[in-house]
Amino acid sequence: MTRSQHLRLSALCAGVALAGTAIAADAPKVPDYGPNLERFEYPHEVKRLALDTQGQKLSMAYMDVAAAKPNGKTVVLMHGKNFCGATWDASIAALSQAGYRVVVPDQIGFCKSDKPQAYQFSFHQLAANTHALLDHLKIDRASIVGHSMGGMLAARYALMYGPQTDALVLVNPIGLEDWKQKGVPYRSIDDWYQRELKANFEGMKKYQLGTYYAGQWRDDYDKWVLMAAGMLQGEGRERVAWNQALTYDMLYTQPVVHEFGQIAVPTTLLIGEKDNTAPGKDAAAPEVAKQLGNYPELGPKAAKAIPNAKLVTWPELGHSPQVQDPKRFNEALLKALPAAKG
């Protein structure tokens, strides 16, 4: 590392440390939103699909937002692991104004959906649940947009239901690398569970500052940290933490990156290059950790692996471009989607 690079790294670390101090000093009181976000308001009416899955009757929450002037096309928005359907608020508005019907599920185990004590989480199962939702809504075809963990799920959905997928859009998807192949050690579900029980607003905000928003915080981001932290405040927090632990295991053990060459639908990657997300990176050896989550390299590599994929990058944005710069993000998203029926 050159002296100038060392100075830049030191300045960044100092800035994050100071931000962390400010976060701790100004941390708001975290509401008890309930384990299924019962007391957190979504931007549109929340409906429910009854699923009979893995011997259980579970409830899957979703928003189904109609367009004032429909263009005949549907877009499904898939949330990330530390996100919810509500986080897509700005994109829902832009898409519905442009004529799209917008379906936004909360996956089983997340947000307003049920959190079973025993469930075999897999991307295949979550994709099948989403497909069951579209069947219920009598939607034959849709464009699938996935952010973060939702990008892994969206890729799996396109692999399973390609003939019914108009387009695939991956927004800073995690899983553009195989972490276990890269040398990230396995962390047990019990270990993840204990870590999740300790999660709090201050820790979440500090992590998101450096990863999701490239070290630049706005007050309106607090809402999304409070949303996540608010599920862990009261009765039912253990179920929330347990489901989070189960899905961390899914991320590690079920890579989809090796199948990118089989994706046969039009695909666009929307990548904020200040992102450095790599779940479990903190458990890896330092020489391994510093190589993980390199989105300026991972984005082009993924675009090359997926047949005829297009790549849109924002060098100054982080893991959540749809929240950080919704105007530019939504303009790029609309260009990636089929515009009209037929």
Side-chain angles (χ1 to χ4, degrees):
M1 179 182 291
T2 66
R3 175 175 174 78
S4 62
Q5 288 173 325
H6 178 76
L7 289 172
R8 284 197 299 270
L9 179 59
S10 297
L12 176 62
C13 291
V16 171
L18 288 172
T21 302
I23 288 167
D26 300 333
K29 178 176 174 56
V30 180
D32 176 2
Y33 283 135
N36 286 3
L37 287 180
E38 295 91 337
R39 293 175 288 280
F40 183 87
E41 186 176 356
Y42 270 32
H44 301 277
E45 179 187 2
V46 175
K47 302 177 182 179
R48 295 194 168 272
L49 172 68
L51 288 172
D52 192 347
T53 168
Q54 298 187 21
Q56 303 177 70
K57 296 187 182 301
L58 301 175
S59 174
M60 183 178 184
Y62 67 95
M63 293 178 283
D64 181 9
V65 183
K69 297 181 179 179
N71 67 6
K73 292 291 186 180
T74 298
V75 178
V76 177
L77 301 176
M78 294 181 168
H79 63 78
K81 187 178 187 302
N82 298 320
F83 302 82
C84 293
T87 322
W88 286 110
D89 188 6
S91 294
I92 295 170
L95 289 166
S96 61
Q97 289 169 11
Y100 295 93
R101 179 180 183 179
V102 189
V103 177
V104 193
D106 279 347
Q107 298 298 329
I108 292 295
F110 294 88
C111 307
K112 285 187 176 287
S113 289
D114 281 351
K115 295 168 183 65
Q117 180 63 29
Y119 200 69
Q120 184 180 5
F121 279 96
S122 70
F123 289 115
H124 288 82
Q125 178 68 72
L126 299 184
N129 293 347
T130 305
H131 194 256
L133 171 61
L134 296 186
D135 278 349
H136 170 73
L137 297 174
K138 296 180 170 48
I139 296 171
D140 296 326
R141 299 180 60 84
S143 294
I144 308 297
V145 180
H147 169 240
S148 192
M149 179 205 76
M152 294 181 77
L153 175 55
R156 176 57 62 199
Y157 187 98
L159 287 164
M160 292 173 65
Y161 304 108
Q164 295 170 273
T165 304
D166 285 331
L168 173 65
V169 182
L170 304 178
V171 183
N172 279 81
I174 59 173
L176 296 183
E177 55 195 338
D178 183 339
W179 299 299
K180 62 179 181 292
Q181 188 181 72
K182 288 289 189 72
V184 175
Y186 178 76
R187 181 178 276 153
S188 73
I189 294 172
D190 292 319
D191 286 345
W192 278 119
Y193 175 60
Q194 292 302 321
R195 290 170 65 88
E196 287 299 302
L197 285 174
K198 298 174 184 176
N200 57 42
F201 176 89
E202 291 84 357
M204 291 177 181
K205 185 169 180 177
K206 185 176 180 180
Y207 174 76
Q208 292 189 21
L209 170 67
T211 302
Y212 294 177
Y213 305 115
Q216 302 172 17
W217 196 264
R218 296 199 311 257
D219 289 344
D220 57 297
Y221 299 159
D222 279 348
K223 175 181 179 179
W224 307 122
V225 187
L226 289 168
M227 176 187 69
M231 285 186 283
L232 292 164
Q233 295 308 300
E235 184 178 354
R237 66 186 299 270
E238 293 82 4
R239 282 192 290 113
V240 176
W242 183 246
N243 275 238
Q244 287 288 298
L246 292 174
T247 51
Y248 266 119
D249 190 76
M250 174 180 71
L251 298 183
Y252 182 88
T253 60
Q254 300 176 32
V256 69
V257 62
H258 305 298
E259 300 169 66
F260 278 178
Q262 300 174 35
I263 294 175
V265 303
T267 301
T268 303
L269 292 106
L270 303 179
I271 304 293
E273 292 189 321
K274 286 291 186 182
D275 192 1
N276 59 12
T277 305
K281 179 166 61 174
D282 61 310
E287 62 272 16
V288 173
K290 66 183 181 182
Q291 299 176 29
L292 300 173
N294 187 341
Y295 276 79
E297 292 185 2
L298 292 171
K301 186 176 180 180
K304 185 177 179 180
I306 299 172
N308 302 312
K310 298 177 182 178
L311 174 65
V312 178
T313 61
W314 297 288
E316 74 283 13
L317 299 183
H319 186 62
S320 303
Q322 78 278 24
V323 178
Q324 195 176 5
D325 194 340
K327 183 177 186 297
R328 271 198 298 167
F329 173 81
N330 290 327
E331 287 173 355
L333 176 59
L334 288 169
K335 289 179 182 177
L337 298 173
K341 190 172 184 179

